[in-house]
Amino acid sequence: MIERCHGDTRPQAGPRARTAIVLAAAALLAATGAAFLPGTASAGTTLGASAAEKGRYFGTAVAGFKLSDSAYTTILNREFNMVTAENEMKIDATEPQQNQFSYGAADQIVNHARSRGMSVRGHTLAWHSQQPGWMQNMSGSALRQAMLNHVTQVATHFRGQVVAWDVVNEAFADGSSGGRRDSNLQRTGNDWIEAAFRAADAADPNAKLCYNDYNTDNWTHAKTQGVYNMVRDFKSRGVPIDCVGFQSHFNNDSPYVSNYRTTLSSFAALGVDVQITELDIQGASAATYRSVVEDCLAVARCNGITVWGIRDSDSWRASQTPLLFNSNGSKKPAYDAVLAALNNGTTPPTTAPPTTNPPTTAPPTTAPPTTAPPTTPPPGSGCTATLQDSTRWGDRFNSLVTVSGASNWTVVVAVTPPQKVSNTWNGSPSWDSSGNVMTMRSNGSGNVFGFTTMANGNWSRPQVRSCTAS
Ligand code: 9MR
């Protein structure tokens, strides 16, 4: 997935501007204001493709040092269309000495992802943990300033490259208090979280800004309610928060519970997107993985799922074998359950949860054709590419392109400005300088590739320009 915002005019930061930006430039994360068509079963063969057909992404945490492991990158590149750096964007990695920023490892992950059409979630700007020594030793206004400087510098460095930031991570206490976790950051004043969000908003007005935490999955838990009350307060006061991440590290002490869907939908009803950001499940029960996916698909504003690693051997809790792939890289039953849930899931024919601002683009007045018209085989040589309409939402639509006559192919597709391609699957995309002409190359995922187009008010069908066998 690619975030493709090439405009020169940077919108002004601030809550009102943020809503407009989010709705206009929504990229793949958009679900606000969308009137969903009833979903249909889809037939994706990878997690990313199947999620994209449902208007969601499927991501994984990536460890930079594993990018030289071809067994790892084969699965990464085939299955996922969103990436979170497992450690490389954390405070100790990006600012090891005060005011000396270090982005090499993070940039490597970002480049790997974006050059292959995947999006990136930034993780994380402000956190009590994994602070470099110099920060651990700070307090008071000096620490507040250092934290805000960190947020500003790092969000500015990655501006335009990450679609969302975990601005603040894990700031609430476990247990029954429902209050904040004690930390050096908390001791700078209770407003440190909103200060971090405002700094991130100023540095990158286009990124979605999220609060991220664990043990916030059970709706009845005090911690869940504490975060909920903070988000409600932020929304009521115009603090620029767009999304809430639920880490969802499920294990025997903190199991999946059936009120998880209530948690996701209750937060969404506050006017934020929700994402499952670090999913792993002790023992990897296929049924539980399936329930988690179904819960996300049931909530219109749940727009993506990220698992916390690829193979069990990549997990921070490897002994719990909590992931979708065995240590040898083969698919586990949980993988099949997730893929099936993504393919069978239906998007709810609901209206979107209440938002305070209306969509910025007018809804289409004419419905586009639901079947593809007869196509003239496009020029090129050695293959034919046929484009079909697929799922459509209030702000975007999917197209599928079927290639015949070659297994190694290059297809050129053009969208009409101000349309923008926000997401692709089953191919390796590149763009011309206008950003409107996409060259898609086969990547071993078969002969059908797909892409999502943000309509931006124009609902015309993308055109296949050529198909060339190679
Ligand atoms: O998976 C990460 C592991 O490699 C690190 O050693 C650990 C250090 O804090 O952080 C792990 O990732 C955490 C994430 O950043 C925040 N939520 C909990 C994750 C698992 O501990």
Side-chain angles (χ1 to χ4, degrees), residues 29 31-32 197 208-211 227-228 230-232 234-235 239-246 263-275 299-303 353-356:
L29 293 171
T32 49
F197 273 86
K208 293 229 179 183
L209 304 182
C210 310
Y211 176 79
V227 175
Y228 177 84
M230 178 188 75
V231 175
R232 187 171 56 184
F234 280 10
K235 294 299 288 183
V239 176
I241 185 169
D242 302 305
C243 35
V244 176
F246 297 85
T263 304
L264 298 176
S265 61
S266 300
F267 275 82
L270 292 175
V272 288
D273 291 338
V274 294
Q275 293 105 24
V299 177
R301 293 191 77 149
C302 181
N303 42 29
T355 54
T356 46

mmCIF file of all heavy atoms in Angstrom, residues 29 31-32 197 208-211 227-228 230-232 234-235 239-246 263-275 299-303 353-356:
data_model
loop_
_atom_site.group_PDB
_atom_site.id
_atom_site.type_symbol
_atom_site.label_atom_id
_atom_site.label_comp_id
_atom_site.label_asym_id
_atom_site.label_seq_id
_atom_site.Cartn_x
_atom_site.Cartn_y
_atom_site.Cartn_z
ATOM 1 N N LEU A 29 -6.793 3.904 4.965
ATOM 2 C CA LEU A 29 -7.399 3.778 6.274
ATOM 3 C C LEU A 29 -8.816 4.319 6.332
ATOM 4 O O LEU A 29 -9.467 4.234 7.351
ATOM 5 C CB LEU A 29 -6.539 4.508 7.301
ATOM 6 C CG LEU A 29 -5.179 3.872 7.526
ATOM 7 C CD1 LEU A 29 -4.314 4.767 8.387
ATOM 8 C CD2 LEU A 29 -5.312 2.510 8.160
ATOM 9 N N ALA A 31 -12.540 4.945 6.512
ATOM 10 C CA ALA A 31 -13.807 4.237 6.646
ATOM 11 C C ALA A 31 -14.877 5.218 7.067
ATOM 12 O O ALA A 31 -16.051 4.908 7.081
ATOM 13 C CB ALA A 31 -13.708 3.127 7.659
ATOM 14 N N THR A 32 -14.452 6.419 7.415
ATOM 15 C CA THR A 32 -15.397 7.395 7.914
ATOM 16 C C THR A 32 -16.353 7.810 6.815
ATOM 17 O O THR A 32 -15.975 7.982 5.672
ATOM 18 C CB THR A 32 -14.648 8.636 8.385
ATOM 19 O OG1 THR A 32 -13.748 9.005 7.367
ATOM 20 C CG2 THR A 32 -13.909 8.382 9.641
ATOM 21 N N PHE A 197 0.167 14.613 21.150
ATOM 22 C CA PHE A 197 -0.696 14.563 19.955
ATOM 23 C C PHE A 197 -0.653 15.888 19.197
ATOM 24 O O PHE A 197 -0.618 15.913 17.963
ATOM 25 C CB PHE A 197 -2.145 14.205 20.348
ATOM 26 C CG PHE A 197 -2.371 12.723 20.411
ATOM 27 C CD1 PHE A 197 -2.087 12.000 21.557
ATOM 28 C CD2 PHE A 197 -2.862 12.028 19.311
ATOM 29 C CE1 PHE A 197 -2.282 10.619 21.623
ATOM 30 C CE2 PHE A 197 -3.073 10.650 19.360
ATOM 31 C CZ PHE A 197 -2.773 9.951 20.515
ATOM 32 N N LYS A 208 -2.486 9.651 10.382
ATOM 33 C CA LYS A 208 -3.494 9.398 11.411
ATOM 34 C C LYS A 208 -2.779 9.231 12.739
ATOM 35 O O LYS A 208 -1.749 8.547 12.825
ATOM 36 C CB LYS A 208 -4.266 8.142 11.071
ATOM 37 C CG LYS A 208 -5.098 8.313 9.825
ATOM 38 C CD LYS A 208 -6.492 7.856 10.070
ATOM 39 C CE LYS A 208 -7.342 8.048 8.832
ATOM 40 N NZ LYS A 208 -8.722 7.675 9.098
ATOM 41 N N LEU A 209 -3.311 9.855 13.766
ATOM 42 C CA LEU A 209 -2.637 9.881 15.066
ATOM 43 C C LEU A 209 -3.403 9.006 16.046
ATOM 44 O O LEU A 209 -4.576 9.252 16.337
ATOM 45 C CB LEU A 209 -2.554 11.322 15.566
ATOM 46 C CG LEU A 209 -1.862 12.296 14.591
ATOM 47 C CD1 LEU A 209 -1.791 13.701 15.190
ATOM 48 C CD2 LEU A 209 -0.461 11.803 14.210
ATOM 49 N N CYS A 210 -2.705 8.001 16.563
ATOM 50 C CA CYS A 210 -3.374 6.961 17.361
ATOM 51 C C CYS A 210 -2.818 6.897 18.780
ATOM 52 O O CYS A 210 -1.632 7.152 19.023
ATOM 53 C CB CYS A 210 -3.158 5.578 16.739
ATOM 54 S SG CYS A 210 -3.512 5.462 14.980
ATOM 55 N N TYR A 211 -3.683 6.483 19.693
ATOM 56 C CA TYR A 211 -3.277 6.035 21.017
ATOM 57 C C TYR A 211 -3.278 4.511 20.995
ATOM 58 O O TYR A 211 -4.214 3.893 20.488
ATOM 59 C CB TYR A 211 -4.235 6.553 22.105
ATOM 60 C CG TYR A 211 -3.839 5.999 23.447
ATOM 61 C CD1 TYR A 211 -2.775 6.553 24.146
ATOM 62 C CD2 TYR A 211 -4.457 4.866 23.977
ATOM 63 C CE1 TYR A 211 -2.351 6.000 25.349
ATOM 64 C CE2 TYR A 211 -4.038 4.304 25.173
ATOM 65 C CZ TYR A 211 -2.985 4.882 25.848
ATOM 66 O OH TYR A 211 -2.540 4.324 27.024
ATOM 67 N N VAL A 227 -9.066 4.380 29.110
ATOM 68 C CA VAL A 227 -8.656 4.861 27.784
ATOM 69 C C VAL A 227 -9.866 5.435 27.046
ATOM 70 O O VAL A 227 -9.786 6.499 26.410
ATOM 71 C CB VAL A 227 -7.992 3.731 26.969
ATOM 72 C CG1 VAL A 227 -7.676 4.198 25.558
ATOM 73 C CG2 VAL A 227 -6.721 3.244 27.669
ATOM 74 N N TYR A 228 -10.994 4.744 27.164
ATOM 75 C CA TYR A 228 -12.225 5.220 26.506
ATOM 76 C C TYR A 228 -12.571 6.640 26.975
ATOM 77 O O TYR A 228 -12.864 7.532 26.167
ATOM 78 C CB TYR A 228 -13.355 4.248 26.820
ATOM 79 C CG TYR A 228 -14.696 4.644 26.260
ATOM 80 C CD1 TYR A 228 -15.046 4.337 24.950
ATOM 81 C CD2 TYR A 228 -15.630 5.325 27.057
ATOM 82 C CE1 TYR A 228 -16.291 4.695 24.435
ATOM 83 C CE2 TYR A 228 -16.867 5.685 26.546
ATOM 84 C CZ TYR A 228 -17.191 5.366 25.241
ATOM 85 O OH TYR A 228 -18.416 5.729 24.736
ATOM 86 N N MET A 230 -10.582 8.859 28.208
ATOM 87 C CA MET A 230 -9.609 9.826 27.690
ATOM 88 C C MET A 230 -9.936 10.182 26.233
ATOM 89 O O MET A 230 -9.905 11.361 25.845
ATOM 90 C CB MET A 230 -8.187 9.265 27.773
ATOM 91 C CG MET A 230 -7.168 10.225 27.190
ATOM 92 S SD MET A 230 -5.504 9.529 27.060
ATOM 93 C CE MET A 230 -5.706 8.440 25.653
ATOM 94 N N VAL A 231 -10.241 9.180 25.426
ATOM 95 C CA VAL A 231 -10.512 9.446 24.001
ATOM 96 C C VAL A 231 -11.771 10.298 23.867
ATOM 97 O O VAL A 231 -11.818 11.254 23.079
ATOM 98 C CB VAL A 231 -10.633 8.122 23.222
ATOM 99 C CG1 VAL A 231 -11.036 8.384 21.775
ATOM 100 C CG2 VAL A 231 -9.304 7.358 23.267
ATOM 101 N N ARG A 232 -12.772 9.978 24.667
ATOM 102 C CA ARG A 232 -14.007 10.788 24.620
ATOM 103 C C ARG A 232 -13.708 12.236 25.000
ATOM 104 O O ARG A 232 -14.165 13.173 24.341
ATOM 105 C CB ARG A 232 -15.045 10.193 25.574
ATOM 106 C CG ARG A 232 -16.399 10.874 25.464
ATOM 107 C CD ARG A 232 -17.454 10.149 26.247
ATOM 108 N NE ARG A 232 -17.074 9.991 27.652
ATOM 109 C CZ ARG A 232 -17.776 9.327 28.547
ATOM 110 N NH1 ARG A 232 -18.888 8.715 28.177
ATOM 111 N NH2 ARG A 232 -17.369 9.229 29.788
ATOM 112 N N PHE A 234 -10.785 13.744 24.730
ATOM 113 C CA PHE A 234 -9.988 14.358 23.653
ATOM 114 C C PHE A 234 -10.895 14.784 22.498
ATOM 115 O O PHE A 234 -10.745 15.873 21.942
ATOM 116 C CB PHE A 234 -8.930 13.371 23.133
ATOM 117 C CG PHE A 234 -7.686 13.276 23.992
ATOM 118 C CD1 PHE A 234 -7.615 13.861 25.248
ATOM 119 C CD2 PHE A 234 -6.563 12.583 23.527
ATOM 120 C CE1 PHE A 234 -6.467 13.769 26.028
ATOM 121 C CE2 PHE A 234 -5.409 12.492 24.297
ATOM 122 C CZ PHE A 234 -5.360 13.078 25.548
ATOM 123 N N LYS A 235 -11.816 13.926 22.112
ATOM 124 C CA LYS A 235 -12.704 14.279 20.999
ATOM 125 C C LYS A 235 -13.561 15.497 21.364
ATOM 126 O O LYS A 235 -13.786 16.369 20.529
ATOM 127 C CB LYS A 235 -13.612 13.094 20.630
ATOM 128 C CG LYS A 235 -12.883 11.897 20.061
ATOM 129 C CD LYS A 235 -12.130 12.190 18.781
ATOM 130 C CE LYS A 235 -13.036 12.403 17.588
ATOM 131 N NZ LYS A 235 -12.222 12.613 16.345
ATOM 132 N N VAL A 239 -8.754 17.671 20.806
ATOM 133 C CA VAL A 239 -7.374 17.169 20.750
ATOM 134 C C VAL A 239 -7.264 16.283 19.503
ATOM 135 O O VAL A 239 -8.140 15.455 19.256
ATOM 136 C CB VAL A 239 -7.035 16.357 22.024
ATOM 137 C CG1 VAL A 239 -5.639 15.766 21.922
ATOM 138 C CG2 VAL A 239 -7.173 17.237 23.263
ATOM 139 N N PRO A 240 -6.246 16.492 18.678
ATOM 140 C CA PRO A 240 -6.215 15.797 17.378
ATOM 141 C C PRO A 240 -5.858 14.310 17.488
ATOM 142 O O PRO A 240 -4.729 13.904 17.238
ATOM 143 C CB PRO A 240 -5.152 16.568 16.596
ATOM 144 C CG PRO A 240 -4.239 17.111 17.644
ATOM 145 C CD PRO A 240 -5.112 17.420 18.828
ATOM 146 N N ILE A 241 -6.846 13.517 17.821
ATOM 147 C CA ILE A 241 -6.674 12.053 17.854
ATOM 148 C C ILE A 241 -7.590 11.457 16.790
ATOM 149 O O ILE A 241 -8.737 11.871 16.649
ATOM 150 C CB ILE A 241 -6.986 11.477 19.252
ATOM 151 C CG1 ILE A 241 -6.679 9.977 19.287
ATOM 152 C CG2 ILE A 241 -8.418 11.766 19.698
ATOM 153 C CD1 ILE A 241 -6.690 9.373 20.690
ATOM 154 N N ASP A 242 -7.051 10.524 16.004
ATOM 155 C CA ASP A 242 -7.816 9.931 14.902
ATOM 156 C C ASP A 242 -8.133 8.462 15.112
ATOM 157 O O ASP A 242 -8.983 7.915 14.424
ATOM 158 C CB ASP A 242 -6.998 9.998 13.599
ATOM 159 C CG ASP A 242 -6.619 11.414 13.248
ATOM 160 O OD1 ASP A 242 -7.521 12.251 13.159
ATOM 161 O OD2 ASP A 242 -5.407 11.685 13.071
ATOM 162 N N CYS A 243 -7.387 7.808 15.995
ATOM 163 C CA CYS A 243 -7.505 6.353 16.019
ATOM 164 C C CYS A 243 -6.983 5.793 17.336
ATOM 165 O O CYS A 243 -6.188 6.438 18.029
ATOM 166 C CB CYS A 243 -6.717 5.726 14.858
ATOM 167 S SG CYS A 243 -5.194 6.591 14.420
ATOM 168 N N VAL A 244 -7.454 4.594 17.624
ATOM 169 C CA VAL A 244 -7.013 3.877 18.816
ATOM 170 C C VAL A 244 -6.544 2.491 18.387
ATOM 171 O O VAL A 244 -7.257 1.782 17.666
ATOM 172 C CB VAL A 244 -8.146 3.769 19.852
ATOM 173 C CG1 VAL A 244 -7.703 2.935 21.053
ATOM 174 C CG2 VAL A 244 -8.579 5.160 20.311
ATOM 175 N N GLY A 245 -5.349 2.147 18.819
ATOM 176 C CA GLY A 245 -4.800 0.831 18.518
ATOM 177 C C GLY A 245 -5.001 -0.105 19.702
ATOM 178 O O GLY A 245 -4.714 0.258 20.842
ATOM 179 N N PHE A 246 -5.498 -1.289 19.409
ATOM 180 C CA PHE A 246 -5.659 -2.340 20.421
ATOM 181 C C PHE A 246 -4.599 -3.392 20.140
ATOM 182 O O PHE A 246 -4.647 -4.074 19.120
ATOM 183 C CB PHE A 246 -7.078 -2.937 20.335
ATOM 184 C CG PHE A 246 -8.132 -1.918 20.647
ATOM 185 C CD1 PHE A 246 -8.610 -1.061 19.668
ATOM 186 C CD2 PHE A 246 -8.614 -1.779 21.941
ATOM 187 C CE1 PHE A 246 -9.557 -0.087 19.960
ATOM 188 C CE2 PHE A 246 -9.554 -0.807 22.250
ATOM 189 C CZ PHE A 246 -10.028 0.038 21.252
ATOM 190 N N THR A 263 -16.019 -3.560 22.489
ATOM 191 C CA THR A 263 -14.941 -2.601 22.732
ATOM 192 C C THR A 263 -14.621 -1.844 21.449
ATOM 193 O O THR A 263 -14.575 -0.599 21.433
ATOM 194 C CB THR A 263 -13.680 -3.330 23.243
ATOM 195 O OG1 THR A 263 -14.024 -4.070 24.409
ATOM 196 C CG2 THR A 263 -12.565 -2.353 23.546
ATOM 197 N N LEU A 264 -14.407 -2.582 20.365
ATOM 198 C CA LEU A 264 -14.042 -1.927 19.098
ATOM 199 C C LEU A 264 -15.147 -0.971 18.653
ATOM 200 O O LEU A 264 -14.881 0.175 18.262
ATOM 201 C CB LEU A 264 -13.792 -2.977 18.011
ATOM 202 C CG LEU A 264 -12.639 -3.966 18.243
ATOM 203 C CD1 LEU A 264 -12.592 -4.993 17.107
ATOM 204 C CD2 LEU A 264 -11.299 -3.246 18.355
ATOM 205 N N SER A 265 -16.380 -1.418 18.722
ATOM 206 C CA SER A 265 -17.465 -0.574 18.209
ATOM 207 C C SER A 265 -17.729 0.613 19.134
ATOM 208 O O SER A 265 -18.104 1.693 18.669
ATOM 209 C CB SER A 265 -18.740 -1.399 17.986
ATOM 210 O OG SER A 265 -19.170 -1.962 19.192
ATOM 211 N N SER A 266 -17.505 0.435 20.428
ATOM 212 C CA SER A 266 -17.747 1.548 21.351
ATOM 213 C C SER A 266 -16.731 2.659 21.134
ATOM 214 O O SER A 266 -17.076 3.850 21.119
ATOM 215 C CB SER A 266 -17.676 1.060 22.800
ATOM 216 O OG SER A 266 -18.642 0.071 23.042
ATOM 217 N N PHE A 267 -15.479 2.287 20.951
ATOM 218 C CA PHE A 267 -14.471 3.312 20.644
ATOM 219 C C PHE A 267 -14.780 3.964 19.301
ATOM 220 O O PHE A 267 -14.703 5.186 19.153
ATOM 221 C CB PHE A 267 -13.066 2.705 20.640
ATOM 222 C CG PHE A 267 -12.418 2.636 21.990
ATOM 223 C CD1 PHE A 267 -12.710 1.604 22.871
ATOM 224 C CD2 PHE A 267 -11.506 3.606 22.402
ATOM 225 C CE1 PHE A 267 -12.117 1.533 24.126
ATOM 226 C CE2 PHE A 267 -10.901 3.551 23.650
ATOM 227 C CZ PHE A 267 -11.207 2.511 24.524
ATOM 228 N N ALA A 268 -15.119 3.135 18.297
ATOM 229 C CA ALA A 268 -15.408 3.687 16.974
ATOM 230 C C ALA A 268 -16.532 4.710 17.042
ATOM 231 O O ALA A 268 -16.511 5.730 16.350
ATOM 232 C CB ALA A 268 -15.755 2.561 16.002
ATOM 233 N N ALA A 269 -17.501 4.451 17.918
ATOM 234 C CA ALA A 269 -18.639 5.368 18.044
ATOM 235 C C ALA A 269 -18.233 6.722 18.620
ATOM 236 O O ALA A 269 -18.993 7.687 18.538
ATOM 237 C CB ALA A 269 -19.721 4.722 18.907
ATOM 238 N N LEU A 270 -17.055 6.800 19.172
ATOM 239 C CA LEU A 270 -16.551 8.102 19.629
ATOM 240 C C LEU A 270 -16.064 8.959 18.460
ATOM 241 O O LEU A 270 -15.720 10.130 18.643
ATOM 242 C CB LEU A 270 -15.393 7.914 20.621
ATOM 243 C CG LEU A 270 -15.736 7.304 21.985
ATOM 244 C CD1 LEU A 270 -14.457 7.082 22.799
ATOM 245 C CD2 LEU A 270 -16.699 8.216 22.752
ATOM 246 N N GLY A 271 -15.972 8.355 17.274
ATOM 247 C CA GLY A 271 -15.505 9.116 16.111
ATOM 248 C C GLY A 271 -14.028 8.922 15.834
ATOM 249 O O GLY A 271 -13.371 9.793 15.277
ATOM 250 N N VAL A 272 -13.500 7.777 16.226
ATOM 251 C CA VAL A 272 -12.110 7.440 15.887
ATOM 252 C C VAL A 272 -12.105 6.132 15.102
ATOM 253 O O VAL A 272 -13.016 5.315 15.247
ATOM 254 C CB VAL A 272 -11.223 7.266 17.141
ATOM 255 C CG1 VAL A 272 -10.938 8.606 17.800
ATOM 256 C CG2 VAL A 272 -11.841 6.286 18.147
ATOM 257 N N ASP A 273 -11.077 5.949 14.276
ATOM 258 C CA ASP A 273 -10.843 4.641 13.682
ATOM 259 C C ASP A 273 -10.231 3.737 14.747
ATOM 260 O O ASP A 273 -9.592 4.225 15.688
ATOM 261 C CB ASP A 273 -9.878 4.745 12.497
ATOM 262 C CG ASP A 273 -10.499 5.463 11.312
ATOM 263 O OD1 ASP A 273 -11.750 5.503 11.229
ATOM 264 O OD2 ASP A 273 -9.746 5.979 10.479
ATOM 265 N N VAL A 274 -10.428 2.458 14.593
ATOM 266 C CA VAL A 274 -9.783 1.506 15.499
ATOM 267 C C VAL A 274 -8.986 0.518 14.661
ATOM 268 O O VAL A 274 -9.370 0.181 13.536
ATOM 269 C CB VAL A 274 -10.806 0.778 16.396
ATOM 270 C CG1 VAL A 274 -11.468 1.755 17.345
ATOM 271 C CG2 VAL A 274 -11.860 0.033 15.589
ATOM 272 N N GLN A 275 -7.878 0.087 15.211
ATOM 273 C CA GLN A 275 -7.048 -0.912 14.542
ATOM 274 C C GLN A 275 -6.563 -1.927 15.574
ATOM 275 O O GLN A 275 -6.396 -1.591 16.744
ATOM 276 C CB GLN A 275 -5.817 -0.261 13.872
ATOM 277 C CG GLN A 275 -6.126 0.642 12.701
ATOM 278 C CD GLN A 275 -5.995 2.105 13.054
ATOM 279 O OE1 GLN A 275 -5.281 2.472 13.976
ATOM 280 N NE2 GLN A 275 -6.690 2.956 12.304
ATOM 281 N N VAL A 299 -17.037 -4.117 12.409
ATOM 282 C CA VAL A 299 -17.005 -2.716 12.838
ATOM 283 C C VAL A 299 -16.472 -1.886 11.674
ATOM 284 O O VAL A 299 -15.304 -2.035 11.267
ATOM 285 C CB VAL A 299 -16.107 -2.559 14.096
ATOM 286 C CG1 VAL A 299 -16.000 -1.103 14.504
ATOM 287 C CG2 VAL A 299 -16.672 -3.407 15.247
ATOM 288 N N ALA A 300 -17.322 -1.029 11.139
ATOM 289 C CA ALA A 300 -16.944 -0.299 9.921
ATOM 290 C C ALA A 300 -15.628 0.451 10.093
ATOM 291 O O ALA A 300 -14.821 0.530 9.168
ATOM 292 C CB ALA A 300 -18.061 0.668 9.530
ATOM 293 N N ARG A 301 -15.401 1.015 11.271
ATOM 294 C CA ARG A 301 -14.181 1.807 11.450
ATOM 295 C C ARG A 301 -13.000 0.974 11.937
ATOM 296 O O ARG A 301 -11.967 1.536 12.286
ATOM 297 C CB ARG A 301 -14.443 2.974 12.405
ATOM 298 C CG ARG A 301 -15.415 3.990 11.786
ATOM 299 C CD ARG A 301 -15.487 5.259 12.587
ATOM 300 N NE ARG A 301 -14.327 6.093 12.343
ATOM 301 C CZ ARG A 301 -14.338 7.427 12.380
ATOM 302 N NH1 ARG A 301 -15.452 8.073 12.647
ATOM 303 N NH2 ARG A 301 -13.243 8.106 12.163
ATOM 304 N N CYS A 302 -13.120 -0.330 11.973
ATOM 305 C CA CYS A 302 -11.943 -1.166 12.251
ATOM 306 C C CYS A 302 -11.267 -1.410 10.919
ATOM 307 O O CYS A 302 -11.702 -2.241 10.125
ATOM 308 C CB CYS A 302 -12.331 -2.490 12.902
ATOM 309 S SG CYS A 302 -10.859 -3.492 13.247
ATOM 310 N N ASN A 303 -10.228 -0.662 10.631
ATOM 311 C CA ASN A 303 -9.721 -0.695 9.256
ATOM 312 C C ASN A 303 -8.405 -1.420 9.067
ATOM 313 O O ASN A 303 -7.821 -1.350 7.997
ATOM 314 C CB ASN A 303 -9.664 0.714 8.656
ATOM 315 C CG ASN A 303 -9.150 1.711 9.638
ATOM 316 O OD1 ASN A 303 -8.367 1.358 10.516
ATOM 317 N ND2 ASN A 303 -9.584 2.947 9.522
ATOM 318 N N PRO A 353 -20.418 5.401 11.841
ATOM 319 C CA PRO A 353 -20.676 5.983 13.146
ATOM 320 C C PRO A 353 -20.691 7.503 13.052
ATOM 321 O O PRO A 353 -20.160 8.068 12.099
ATOM 322 C CB PRO A 353 -19.494 5.493 13.984
ATOM 323 C CG PRO A 353 -18.470 5.060 13.001
ATOM 324 C CD PRO A 353 -19.191 4.663 11.769
ATOM 325 N N PRO A 354 -21.325 8.127 14.013
ATOM 326 C CA PRO A 354 -21.461 9.576 13.919
ATOM 327 C C PRO A 354 -20.111 10.277 13.889
ATOM 328 O O PRO A 354 -19.203 9.919 14.622
ATOM 329 C CB PRO A 354 -22.226 9.941 15.193
ATOM 330 C CG PRO A 354 -22.155 8.737 16.059
ATOM 331 C CD PRO A 354 -21.907 7.553 15.197
ATOM 332 N N THR A 355 -19.998 11.222 13.012
ATOM 333 C CA THR A 355 -18.802 12.060 13.018
ATOM 334 C C THR A 355 -19.290 13.490 13.093
ATOM 335 O O THR A 355 -20.409 13.792 12.686
ATOM 336 C CB THR A 355 -17.959 11.889 11.747
ATOM 337 O OG1 THR A 355 -18.821 12.117 10.639
ATOM 338 C CG2 THR A 355 -17.363 10.509 11.636
ATOM 339 N N THR A 356 -18.457 14.361 13.582
ATOM 340 C CA THR A 356 -18.908 15.732 13.754
ATOM 341 C C THR A 356 -18.834 16.525 12.456
ATOM 342 O O THR A 356 -19.507 17.518 12.300
ATOM 343 C CB THR A 356 -18.073 16.436 14.829
ATOM 344 O OG1 THR A 356 -16.709 16.128 14.562
ATOM 345 C CG2 THR A 356 -18.446 15.947 16.205
#
